[in-house]
């Protein structure tokens, strides 16, 4: 399974999305996939729906975390550690208000309540393994400027890279290929990383043989209800089959209406 994770911004306003695609023979109603691969896809899909439905004023981030992990339990998979869903603001992709996908003893976040007109990137990653992906030899080429760090760089290539980042990407992520001289940037990035002037977006791996499903969407908290503005349809109905059954708790959340119905004005008799 291949994951695509992309984002864009217009005048500082950000939208992000991620999708998981099955390589090779595409699943269909006539040739559905099943087993662990289907379970993890369904779990990630349902977790996205549950998280979106709980994004309502007055609800808390811990409610969403608890519900997502209940979904993972229902499908016999694990939510991945180290994954955060951030509040998005203008020129800010990683706001302070977050939803943690899975709490650990050393990974916790402060409780917070959702408010009207907030925007969140709902980031869901499920695994058939233990849900603790690790970095390997593959190097990332995507970074973000650490705005609270400063250092007098020694190497010329590092200074060139850092000056270009400050000019073009002062607050949002960038790829090395977006810079004028990618070869020089690859040399300069080492010193910038060493002194924490930029933050890497690492490439993570699960154990061989484990399946990972990743879906991400941008959700607005509007008066009419939570509204998803990015994200593809997870998969064709009937093409991914699972024998797992949702718990009553998860079914109750799934039954919530995403949007409030508009009341029709009754015409007064003439």
């Amino acid at each position: 399974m291949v994951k695509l994770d992309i984002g864009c911004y217009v005048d500082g306003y950000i939208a992000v999305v991620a999708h998981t695609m099955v390589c090779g023979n595409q699943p269909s109603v006539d040739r559905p996939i099943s087993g662990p691969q289907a379970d993890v896809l369904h779990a990630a899909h349902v977790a996205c729906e549950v998280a979106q439905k709980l994004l309502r004023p007055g609800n808390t981030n811990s409610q969403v975390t608890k519900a997502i992990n209940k979904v993972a339990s229902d499908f016999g998979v694990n939510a991945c550690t180290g994954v955060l869903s951030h509040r998005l603001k203008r020129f800010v992709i990683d706001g302070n208000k977050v939803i943690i996908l899975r709490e650990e003893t050393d990974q916790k976040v402060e409780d917070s309540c959702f408010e009207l007109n907030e925007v969140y990137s709902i980031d869901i990653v499920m695994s058939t393994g233990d849900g603790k992906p690790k970095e390997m030899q593959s190097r990332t080429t995507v970074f973000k400027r650490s705005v609270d760090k400063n250092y007098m760089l020694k190497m010329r290539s590092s200074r060139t890279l850092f000056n270009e980042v400050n000019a073009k990407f002062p607050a949002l992520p960038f790829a090395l290929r977006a810079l004028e001289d990618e070869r020089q940037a690859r040399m300069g990035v080492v010193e910038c990383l060493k002194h924490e002037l930029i933050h890497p977006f690492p490439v993570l791996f699960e154990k061989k043989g484990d399946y990972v499903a990743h879906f991400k969407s941008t959700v607005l908290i509007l008066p009419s209800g939570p509204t998803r503005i990015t994200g593809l349809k997870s998969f064709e109905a009937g093409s991914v089959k699972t024998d797992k059954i949702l718990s009553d708790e998860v079914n109750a959340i799934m039954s919530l209406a995403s949007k409030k119905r508009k009341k029709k004005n009754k015409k007064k008799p003439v």
Side-chain angles (χ1 to χ4, degrees), residues 44-58:
H45 164 70
V46 173
C48 279
E49 295 293 322
V50 163
Q52 178 185 338
K53 290 176 182 291
L54 289 176
L55 279 182
R56 300 169 188 269

Side-chain angles (χ1 to χ4, degrees), residues 21 42 70 74 76 83 91 96 110 122 126 129 133 174 181 186 204 208 225 234-235 238 245 248:
M21 297 180 294
H42 267 286
K70 182 59 180 171
D74 287 350
V83 179
F91 291 109
N96 292 330
E110 291 184 7
I122 297 302
M126 295 286 186
F174 63 93
D181 189 336
R186 287 181 181 275
L204 302 176
K208 189 175 181 180
S234 299
F235 42 78
I245 299 173
D248 293 340

Side-chain angles (χ1 to χ4, degrees), residues 81-95:
T81 58
V83 179
L84 297 174
S85 295
H86 289 270
R87 181 189 174 189
L88 303 176
K89 294 192 281 187
R90 192 182 185 195
F91 291 109
V92 180
I93 198 171
D94 50 0

Side-chain angles (χ1 to χ4, degrees), residues 10-154:
V10 177
D11 196 24
Y13 295 100
I14 304 161
V16 292
V17 65
H19 192 73
T20 298
M21 297 180 294
V22 179
C23 292
N25 294 327
Q26 292 300 299
S28 63
V29 176
D30 297 328
R31 294 180 300 177
I33 60 173
S34 58
Q37 196 174 13
D39 293 341
V40 77
L41 283 167
H42 267 286
H45 164 70
V46 173
C48 279
E49 295 293 322
V50 163
Q52 178 185 338
K53 290 176 182 291
L54 289 176
L55 279 182
R56 300 169 188 269
N59 284 353
T60 65
N61 54 353
S62 57
Q63 284 179 265
V64 179
T65 300
K66 181 182 176 184
I68 289 172
N69 283 274
K70 182 59 180 171
V71 172
S73 176
D74 287 350
F75 284 97
V77 299
N78 286 301
C80 288
T81 58
V83 179
L84 297 174
S85 295
H86 289 270
R87 181 189 174 189
L88 303 176
K89 294 192 281 187
R90 192 182 185 195
F91 291 109
V92 180
I93 198 171
D94 50 0
N96 292 330
K97 292 177 73 172
V98 299
I99 305 163
I100 191 167
L101 193 68
R102 172 178 162 182
E103 282 195 338
E104 296 285 308
T105 53
D106 60 339
Q107 295 181 15
K108 294 182 182 292
V109 298
E110 291 184 7
D111 285 346
S112 61
C113 287
F114 304 124
E115 298 177 26
L116 195 62
N117 297 321
E118 288 183 333
V119 183
Y120 284 85
S121 64
I122 297 302
D123 201 353
I124 304 294
V125 188
M126 295 286 186
S127 171
T128 58
D130 59 8
K132 297 180 179 180
K134 296 177 175 61
E135 290 186 60
M136 296 180 73
Q137 293 181 349
S138 296
R139 293 183 180 180
T140 184
T141 59
V142 181
F143 304 89
K144 178 180 172 294
R145 167 79 165 96
S146 300
V147 294
D148 58 338
K149 299 285 185 180
N150 286 290
Y151 179 78
M152 294 295 291
L153 294 163
K154 305 294 189 295

Side-chain angles (χ1 to χ4, degrees), residues 199-210:
H199 168 75
F201 286 74
V203 182
L204 302 176
F205 293 83
E206 263 283 26
K207 294 176 183 176
K208 189 175 181 180
D210 292 334

